Amino acid sequence: MELLEIKHISKVYPNGVRALEDVSFTVEKGEFVSIIGLSGAGKSTLLRSINKLVEISSGEILFEGKNIALARGKDLRLMRRDMGMVFQSFNLVKRSKVITNVLAGRIAYHSSWRSILGLFPKEDKEIAFKALQRVNILEKSYSRADQLSGGQMQRVAIARSLAQEPKLLLADEPVASLDPLTTIQVMDDLKRINRELGITTLVNLHHVDLALKYSSRIIGLREGRLVFDGPAKDVDDSILELIYGRQLLSNEIFGEEHEQ
Amino acid sequence: MNSDRHLKELLPEKPSELKRNLSIFLLISIIYASGSFTNFSLSKLLGNLKEGADLLDRMFFPPDFAYAKRLLLPMLETIQISFVGTVIGSFFAIPIAVFSARNISANKSVGVFFRLFLNLFRTIPALVFAAFFASVFGFGSFSGMMALLVFTIGLVAKLTYEAIENIDPGPLEALTAAGAGQGAIFRYAIVPQVLPQFLSYVLYSFEINIRASAVLGYVGAGGIGEYYDRTLSFLKYDKAGTIVLLTFFVILAIDLISARLRARLI
Ligand SMILES: Nc1ncnc2c1ncn2[C@@H]1O[C@H](COP(=O)(O)OP(=O)(O)O)[C@@H](O)[C@H]1O
Ligand SMILES: [Mg+2]
């Protein structure tokens, strides 16, 4: 069975912007899919619809066969727990320690009272430390998040989503605020996690060649419509023109000089 | 030369300064109007400078140090009243701030109600609260404490809800995406972001409350305030000066302690 089924979803924001129009696709377990498109094409809206940070206007999103639009309260929280999310701006609590940030990924495993009181069981701490180790930042466990560099913060954010032990990882432009070198490290981390833990990964990317390099499958969005869905190796100039509507600007190509 | 011309062509149009100039003009007009409305006159101020200096001379040169001993107990009472009022008031300020903050309030009209309530609340001076509670509970330190408590709620809730409205929304979003509920989001995304500010507002209101308790003396609310009343109505300026000095040292001490605390929190 498919992990994720997107069926004819559309999103109209209250201000009338049609961010998604009749988008459909399915994602199998273990895939690493990149979503590409111009800024404003609807990539973030699509990703955020999947965990219901954005409520879609019509269509259906099935995660493990369950319709997330119908999920409320605890059911919704449990579905969200199974989907980790990584953001462009990391979204860590900067004043809190790294380990506290990562443990936040365990919240949905416990009753509200237990997590509010900070009573995380020993196993949770082990899971959190393991997650930090997986992204090679274990030694920063007790540092405050605001003492880290951008790349380190993003790795902590990835560790937080790993602590959720998710089945799906949603990454919304995870490297857009990073320098070229850390970009490669973070993309490598995401790829490794996908391979080693088998976590299905959906990542929005601004840079076409990163998408082509790291993912097996590309989804192209243009003005809210899905205009391409296929293997990365099928993406050629004509398809890029279909997605971007014109020749690419140099800042939309990550650039070979950065890739050693 | 050539490059100069280029620069000019490339430069965007200079933004208009009309708005800024208008604001400055308006501000000066308001200050001037308020001055004439209150019959403010520089000559009067300067002319009476000598009398002011005289009074200060009588208050502080020298103050009545022997009197300070008798003030210690009432001062302690003032600190107690202020402390209890500040702590309990700050505690009640928390839920009110949460309901008032536009970015996290569960319900829009609940938020409007609480903000309105807070604004109304803050227009009432502590003295009026004190008079009210004195008429309910009778004169004494309990009424004074209640007045400070209510005053603290207004102050701390207002400042705290503004602090909450200015937090980074990123962590809230991340925790929502991780399946956290409202309570956990509050604990892990909001509290760490506003705690240092909240605590400094609490300390600030503690300071204000100690000063305010001087005024509250007039409605028999206990503590050092009564001694202000006594000394001033008998024109014992040297004694009043002692009270001022003592209050000053207490506030100085609180200020030092809170500076230390804040430095550790941030
Ligand atoms: N909260 C919102 N309210 C109104 N319009 C929005 C909102 N979020 C995004 N949009 C609009 O929806 C469109 C798609 O935005 P987005 O999904 O952020 O695209 P992308 O991530 O590809 O840059 C844009 O036109 C954007 O301005
Ligand atoms: Mg986006």
Side-chain angles (χ1 to χ4, degrees):
Chain A
M1 191 180 67
E2 293 84 6
L3 183 70
L4 183 68
E5 290 174 78
I6 309 282
K7 294 181 171 174
H8 306 288
I9 65 166
S10 298
K11 170 66 187 177
V12 186
Y13 281 109
N15 62 1
V17 173
R18 307 183 72 85
L20 293 175
E21 295 228 48
D22 195 22
V23 171
S24 299
F25 62 92
T26 59
V27 180
E28 306 283 335
K29 270 197 182 112
E31 280 193 276
F32 192 107
V33 185
S34 286
I35 300 163
I36 60 173
L38 286 172
S39 159
K43 304 182 296 294
S44 297
T45 305
L46 173 58
L47 224 55
R48 299 158 66 84
S49 299
I50 294 171
N51 60 5
K52 212 179 167 187
L53 286 183
V54 165
E55 292 211 38
I56 52 174
S57 314
S58 62
E60 259 186 0
I61 297 177
L62 303 181
F63 178 71
E64 297 189 298
K66 278 177 290 188
N67 186 342
I68 191 161
L70 302 180
R72 304 243 178 289
K74 182 146 186 155
D75 288 339
L76 175 61
R77 292 207 301 277
L78 290 183
M79 285 180 83
R80 281 176 171 159
R81 184 184 77 186
D82 288 340
M83 309 183 218
M85 192 169 213
V86 175
F87 304 82
Q88 174 181 346
S89 50
F90 324 134
N91 291 356
L92 299 180
V93 181
K94 298 213 179 62
R95 278 176 194 291
S96 298
K97 275 188 242 149
V98 163
I99 182 65
T100 313
N101 270 288
V102 178
L103 274 172
R106 301 298 300 167
I107 288 171
Y109 281 90
H110 308 291
S111 70
S112 321
W113 282 113
R114 202 165 170 166
S115 27
I116 288 170
L117 295 175
L119 300 173
F120 292 102
K122 249 224 295 302
E123 305 86 75
D124 277 15
K125 286 178 192 154
E126 231 155 75
I127 291 168
F129 286 127
K130 277 216 182 98
L132 284 165
Q133 192 178 30
R134 196 166 280 282
V135 289
N136 297 314
I137 198 158
L138 186 62
E139 77 278 5
K140 297 285 184 193
S141 296
Y142 298 110
S143 304
R144 255 170 63 150
D146 55 9
Q147 290 168 345
L148 306 183
S149 70
Q152 291 171 327
M153 285 197 205
Q154 193 58 297
R155 277 184 272 160
V156 172
I158 293 171
R160 173 176 61 194
S161 62
L162 284 184
Q164 288 172 236
E165 302 186 306
K167 294 171 179 146
L168 175 67
L169 189 63
L170 306 167
D172 191 2
E173 310 231 12
V175 293
S177 333
L178 303 180
D179 62 65
L181 199 68
T182 36
T183 290
I184 299 294
Q185 288 170 350
V186 165
M187 287 306 296
D188 283 348
D189 279 340
L190 289 176
K191 186 75 193 174
R192 194 159 35 80
I193 286 160
N194 167 252
R195 237 190 1 248
E196 292 176 3
L197 300 176
I199 296 174
T200 313
T201 303
L202 237 62
V203 49
N204 284 348
L205 284 173
H206 192 67
H207 292 294
V208 177
D209 47 358
L210 279 181
L212 296 181
K213 182 178 167 197
Y214 283 93
S215 46
S216 44
R217 176 177 166 199
I218 303 282
I219 286 174
L221 284 186
R222 179 176 174 182
E223 291 169 10
R225 293 177 182 279
L226 188 148
V227 293
F228 177 79
D229 179 0
K233 62 175 165 40
D234 288 1
V235 176
D236 57 20
D237 282 353
S238 69
I239 282 167
L240 288 181
E241 202 165 330
L242 182 69
I243 297 170
Y244 289 91
R246 52 165 170 73
Q247 294 287 301
L248 286 182
L249 302 173
S250 61
N251 70 354
E252 282 152 358
I253 297 177
F254 186 61
E256 253 142 19
E257 73 270 28
H258 303 311
E259 295 184 48
Q260 292 117 349
Chain B
M1 288 300 261
N2 196 6
S3 69
D4 271 8
R5 194 149 21 93
H6 250 78
L7 196 67
K8 267 214 175 123
E9 278 163 18
L10 288 172
L11 212 61
E13 206 181 317
K14 203 173 168 191
S16 159
E17 289 180 348
L18 183 68
K19 202 174 153 192
R20 194 197 65 174
N21 292 341
L22 262 178
S23 308
I24 293 174
F25 174 74
L26 204 68
L27 190 68
I28 292 175
S29 315
I30 289 173
I31 293 171
Y32 182 77
S34 332
S36 53
F37 186 70
T38 52
N39 295 320
F40 178 85
S41 119
L42 204 60
S43 56
K44 201 164 150 193
L45 182 77
L46 294 174
N48 288 310
L49 223 51
K50 198 184 156 309
E51 279 167 43
D54 263 6
L55 183 62
L56 286 179
D57 185 48
R58 268 190 286 163
M59 280 171 85
F60 297 118
F61 300 101
D64 184 350
F65 283 118
Y67 189 56
K69 251 194 191 157
R70 294 212 351 239
L71 290 175
L72 287 181
L73 268 182
M75 193 67 210
L76 201 66
E77 193 187 0
T78 286
I79 295 174
Q80 281 171 342
I81 294 170
S82 307
F83 184 79
V84 175
T86 306
V87 169
I88 301 179
S90 301
F91 179 78
F92 284 116
I94 295 170
I96 296 176
V98 169
F99 285 124
S100 302
R102 268 168 277 245
N103 54 341
I104 60 164
S105 184
N107 184 313
K108 236 186 178 159
S109 39
V110 170
V112 171
F113 170 79
F114 273 97
R115 284 194 301 279
L116 201 71
F117 170 77
L118 270 184
N119 277 328
L120 204 76
F121 224 59
R122 277 165 42 80
T123 56
I124 303 171
L127 192 60
V128 175
F129 283 126
F132 170 76
F133 285 115
S135 72
V136 176
F137 300 112
F139 289 123
S141 53
F142 184 75
S143 296
M145 191 276 288
M146 284 303 292
L148 294 181
L149 187 157
V150 170
F151 173 77
T152 303
I153 292 181
L155 181 68
V156 175
K158 162 97 173 160
L159 292 171
T160 305
Y161 98 69
E162 281 170 356
I164 293 177
E165 287 187 344
N166 285 319
I167 62 171
D168 172 11
L172 272 70
E173 194 172 51
L175 289 198
T176 307
Q182 297 280 312
I185 290 174
F186 179 72
R187 160 77 172 76
Y188 287 98
I190 297 171
V191 169
Q193 292 196 66
V194 295
L195 188 63
Q197 285 166 80
F198 172 74
L199 289 177
S200 70
Y201 299 149
V202 173
L203 292 166
Y204 171 59
S205 103
F206 185 39
E207 265 177 53
I208 292 189
N209 284 344
I210 289 210
R211 250 173 282 154
S213 59
V215 181
L216 297 188
Y218 282 103
V219 292
I224 200 84
E226 283 172 36
Y227 290 75
Y228 264 117
D229 194 14
R230 260 185 238 172
T231 53
L232 287 176
S233 38
F234 290 100
L235 305 179
K236 302 273 195 231
Y237 291 116
D238 54 342
K239 292 197 162 114
T242 313
I243 305 176
V244 170
L245 274 180
L246 192 64
T247 312
F248 170 73
F249 284 122
V250 169
I251 287 174
L252 197 68
I254 294 172
D255 203 40
L256 283 176
I257 295 168
S258 51
R260 283 268 169 88
L261 277 177
R262 250 173 291 178
R264 282 180 58 181
L265 284 168
I266 290 165

